[in-house]
Amino acid sequence: MALCGAVVSVCSCGGKNGSGDFPDNFGTIGDAGRVSYMMKNVTPDSVARFICDAALGKVEGARIDSLPTATLYAYEHYKNTDLASFAAQYDAYSQSLPLEEKMKLYALAGSYDPQQLGYQLGLEYVGNIRSKKMTADQVAAELEEFKKACGNDHGTYKRFVKGFKVVLELEKGNGISGDIYSRFKNLNED
C-alpha cells in the first residue's frame, strides 16, 4: 500500500516526489505499459490526472510520449464505473487547466484541427471563468500568459479571442460579472 500512496501523491501533486515512486523500467515500458502500471496501482481518477500531467511534463520521473495512445489504452481497458470515473475526471481535469496548458494538451491529443484549436479554447473559456469564479484581473493575467504561450502563432490567439468574445456576448449577465464583460468584450485580437 505504500507504493499506492506514493503514486497517488505523484498524480495529485504534479510529480514532486521524484522518480523513486516508479519501477526502474518505467521509462522504457512505453505509454501503454506506464498507463497499465498506473491502472493497477491507483484509482481511475488518479490515472486520468497522471496521463494529463505526465503528457504536459509535470510528473518527475514519468512521461507520456503519445497522449492518444495513453488515453486510448485506458478507455479500452477500463470497464463500467471505472471507465466512467476515468472519463469524467479526464474531461474535468483537462477543462480546469490554465489556458496555456489546456492548449498544449489539446494539441498533444490531436483532437482539434490546428485551425479550430483557438476557437475551441475561446468558446470554452467563459466556462472556466465561471467555474473558477475568476476576477477580471485574474482573467487578464491568464490571457497574458496564454498570449505568450502562443508565441508566433498569432492565428491561434486571434481565433481564441474571436471565440471568447462570441461566448462573452451570449453569456452576458449569466454568471459572468459585468466587470469581466465590459473589460473583455472589445479585447484586441492582436
Side-chain angles (χ1 to χ4, degrees):
M1 269 325 211
L3 176 61
C4 185
V7 174
V8 171
S9 293
V10 169
C11 293
S12 301
C13 301
K16 294 183 176 142
N17 289 346
S19 59
D21 296 326
F22 302 108
D24 291 339
N25 69 339
F26 202 68
T28 61
I29 59 176
D31 291 333
R34 288 186 276 275
V35 173
S36 175
Y37 172 82
M38 296 300 289
M39 289 172 70
K40 292 172 188 163
N41 290 286
V42 298
T43 60
D45 59 321
S46 292
V47 173
R49 290 187 301 274
F50 167 79
I51 289 172
C52 293
D53 287 343
L56 292 170
K58 294 168 56 175
V59 180
E60 187 179 331
R63 69 182 192 286
I64 294 295
D65 298 316
S66 171
L67 187 57
T69 298
T71 54
L72 182 60
Y73 185 89
Y75 277 109
E76 287 178 341
H77 290 85
Y78 275 131
K79 304 289 183 237
N80 304 321
T81 57
D82 287 343
L83 178 59
S85 176
F86 172 81
Q89 182 61 32
Y90 186 90
D91 290 345
Y93 188 68
S94 61
Q95 290 296 313
S96 73
L97 292 170
L99 271 173
E100 67 275 6
E101 290 181 5
K102 191 174 182 181
M103 177 179 69
K104 183 177 178 183
L105 192 71
Y106 280 10
L108 290 170
S111 48
Y112 295 101
D113 177 306
Q115 296 298 314
Q116 297 291 326
L117 181 60
Y119 289 122
Q120 186 63 35
L121 290 167
L123 294 172
E124 294 175 357
Y125 192 56
V126 169
N128 285 28
I129 293 170
R130 188 180 297 116
S131 67
K132 294 179 181 177
K133 297 177 174 49
M134 296 172 75
T135 65
D137 287 340
Q138 290 170 320
V139 171
E142 190 166 54
L143 292 179
E144 186 61 35
E145 288 301 312
F146 178 67
K147 189 172 186 178
K148 287 178 193 172
C150 287
N152 292 329
D153 185 2
H154 302 294
T156 295
Y157 183 76
K158 186 175 187 172
R159 288 185 290 275
F160 166 82
V161 171
K162 285 183 180 188
F164 178 46
K165 290 190 321 189
V166 164
V167 177
L168 261 183
E169 198 60 43
L170 291 172
E171 296 290 319
K172 177 174 56 174
N174 188 17
I176 299 298
S177 74
D179 185 32
I180 288 175
Y181 174 76
S182 62
R183 187 163 170 186
F184 300 105
K185 69 179 180 177
N186 295 317
L187 184 63
N188 188 344
E189 296 173 9
D190 295 318

